[in-house]
Amino acid sequence: MKKKVIAYNRVEKPVLEALQKKYDVTFFKNIDTQNDLDFLKKLSEVEGIIGLELPVDKKLLDHAPHLKIISNVSVGYNNLDMEELTKRNIMATNTPDVLTDTVADTVFGILIATARRIPELDQLVKSGGWITESIEPEYFGMDVHHKKLGIIGMGRIGQAIAKRAHFGFDMEILYHSRSQKPDVEDKFDATYCTLDELLAKSDFVCLITPLTSETVGLIGKREFQLMKKTAIFVNGSRGKTIVEQDLIDALKGGQIAAAGLDVFEKEPIERHNALLHMKNVVTTPHIGSSTHETELKMSELAAYNLEAGLNGQKPPNLVTQPL
Ligand code: NAP
């Protein structure tokens, strides 16, 4: 008999089809995972779950007595209650590396779009607002090249951002992480700073840490106050690593100049969110890794992790500690 698996929200079609040949796979999308009866019934039967951002807590795991592995199609795994998974000896995996360059491209793209006001000026042109030969200085942007970029979270993606900034844009790199990284300092001529130093000195502040109990609300009122009034803040991590209302206040009060955001406290973002009505805010719908090529690679890696776990092997991208 085929092993039973749930696929949740996003697994690329060719990968899903390949899994369906080997396993009894049921696909769920956009459901209430606490109350959907079909989902809860399936959960009681499956040995594996593969998918994007399934919120996994004690309550959900109580419905899953046969579960061996949860394979996230993402590098972040803040959707998982790690303590509870470890307690139950259930494996969890993620998809690092394959998305690093794509996310760095996205973050850097948002940074440039915010500094040079590309979405705003796109709207100006399309709405017929470009009526004289050259636009007025009120639409000028801010240079990116040769400026100071502060990266909070100098991990895989942080380093790929630093690479673009250093070699492509002659930027000076400041960084803050839990640990200092001499190899990164050599490669990108980067300088390690305390968080407060980085905030005070940077022209661009880019946040790309995981969401953990340590990083939740890492950037709030105090931190925005430490930034330059001309600073541009870019968040590519998770929405909850900042206090969103404090960002709104900082933008309204002219405490910082602008923000580029791929992630939000609540996703999808609510229509009344003040950020949606600010010209100096560039938004994207959590699309850090969302290219056709990279999403496929992530699904393939997640399927590989899933199969290893189902076969009783150690998956290459295990994020839980084996007991
Ligand atoms: P990674 O290689 O694990 O890097 C994470 C970095 O954050 C590390 O340098 C780590 O420091 C640092 N860090 C962790 N806790 C910290 C803290 N309390 N204070 C300061 N720095 C801290 O992970 P990655 O592959 O680069 O991914 C990073 C995150 O990006 C993911 O977890 C996810 O949340 C986000 N992401 C977003 C998207 C998107 O679509 N927007 C896509 C992919 C990933 P140490 O090295 O010193 O431990």
Side-chain angles (χ1 to χ4, degrees):
M1 211 169 63
K2 283 178 172 177
K3 289 181 176 162
K4 292 185 174 153
V5 167
I6 283 176
Y8 181 72
N9 265 357
R10 197 190 295 156
V11 179
E12 289 297 295
K13 204 167 167 231
V15 176
L16 189 60
E17 285 170 356
L19 286 174
Q20 280 164 338
K21 286 190 184 135
K22 293 188 197 164
Y23 304 104
D24 176 354
V25 183
T26 313
F27 183 73
F28 293 93
K29 195 175 172 74
N30 297 334
I31 51 157
D32 174 355
T33 54
Q34 297 287 350
N35 295 304
D36 186 299
L37 293 180
D38 290 341
F39 175 77
L40 293 176
K41 179 165 185 316
K42 212 26 98 180
L43 199 56
S44 69
E45 301 166 357
V46 297
E47 289 179 57
I49 298 175
I50 178 170
L52 179 68
E53 291 189 349
L54 173 68
V56 174
D57 58 9
K58 182 175 181 302
K59 205 166 151 202
L60 185 132
L61 291 174
D62 284 343
H63 290 283
H66 306 294
L67 192 61
K68 288 186 181 148
I69 176 159
I70 301 177
S71 174
N72 258 11
V73 188
S74 62
V75 67
Y77 47 89
N78 50 286
N79 57 312
L80 306 175
D81 183 334
M82 300 296 282
E83 205 180 310
E84 204 53 43
L85 287 169
T86 307
K87 220 185 277 173
R88 296 173 192 232
N89 211 10
I90 297 170
M91 292 179 275
T93 57
N94 68 345
T95 59
D97 301 315
V98 291
L99 47 61
T100 296
D101 281 317
T102 300
V103 181
D105 285 350
T106 306
V107 171
F108 217 82
I110 293 170
L111 186 154
I112 297 174
T114 312
R116 298 301 307 273
R117 303 167 63 176
I118 292 172
E120 187 190 341
L121 293 172
D122 171 61
Q123 276 310 308
L124 181 86
V125 175
K126 288 178 181 163
S127 63
W130 185 23
I131 48 175
T132 54
E133 208 169 290
S134 62
I135 57 152
E136 296 301 319
E138 66 177 292
Y139 291 115
F140 290 177
M142 184 195 282
D143 273 339
V144 172
H145 63 86
H146 294 95
K147 292 283 180 71
K148 278 198 183 75
L149 171 63
I151 299 174
I152 307 168
M154 193 53 110
R156 289 171 291 242
I157 299 170
Q159 289 174 43
I161 295 168
K163 182 177 171 185
R164 283 152 180 75
H166 175 66
F167 293 112
F169 291 80
D170 294 308
M171 295 179 91
E172 184 180 337
I173 312 293
L174 310 177
Y175 76 100
H176 177 73
S177 270
R178 285 178 302 191
S179 57
Q180 201 169 340
K181 300 174 191 308
D183 56 324
V184 172
E185 293 174 14
D186 287 350
K187 265 194 278 184
F188 309 125
D189 203 9
T191 307
Y192 183 80
C193 295
T194 63
L195 181 61
D196 289 6
E197 267 170 6
L198 179 147
L199 296 172
K201 289 182 181 168
S202 301
D203 299 307
F204 296 88
V205 174
C206 176
L207 182 58
I208 191 72
T209 59
L211 174 64
T212 64
S213 55
E214 283 172 20
T215 62
V216 66
L218 184 68
I219 305 296
K221 186 175 176 188
R222 189 191 78 89
E223 288 71 27
F224 289 118
Q225 277 170 355
L226 287 173
M227 293 183 201
K228 294 181 182 179
K229 288 210 163 20
T230 51
I232 291 181
F233 174 69
V234 179
N235 192 6
S237 61
R238 289 286 185 266
K240 288 187 176 142
T241 51
I242 73 163
V243 182
E244 203 166 85
Q245 187 56 51
D246 291 349
L247 170 64
I248 293 167
D249 294 342
L251 288 161
K252 278 187 181 162
Q255 192 61 52
I256 62 169
L261 308 168
D262 186 43
V263 288
F264 302 89
E265 213 164 85
K266 190 159 184 332
E267 297 180 0
I269 194 167
E270 288 165 329
R271 287 177 73 95
H272 61 73
N273 190 317
L275 293 167
L276 298 182
H277 307 288
M278 295 179 172
K279 279 190 173 175
N280 53 348
V281 174
V282 171
T283 59
T284 47
H286 199 149
I287 45 95
S289 59
S290 303
T291 62
H292 291 296
E293 300 92 324
T294 294
E295 289 289 346
L296 183 59
K297 283 185 204 154
M298 289 164 68
S299 286
E300 284 169 349
L301 183 55
Y304 191 76
N305 283 322
L306 175 83
E307 293 204 60
L310 289 175
N311 293 334
Q313 295 152 359
K314 185 181 169 201
N317 305 110
L318 193 65
V319 290
T320 38
Q321 299 299 323
L323 287 179

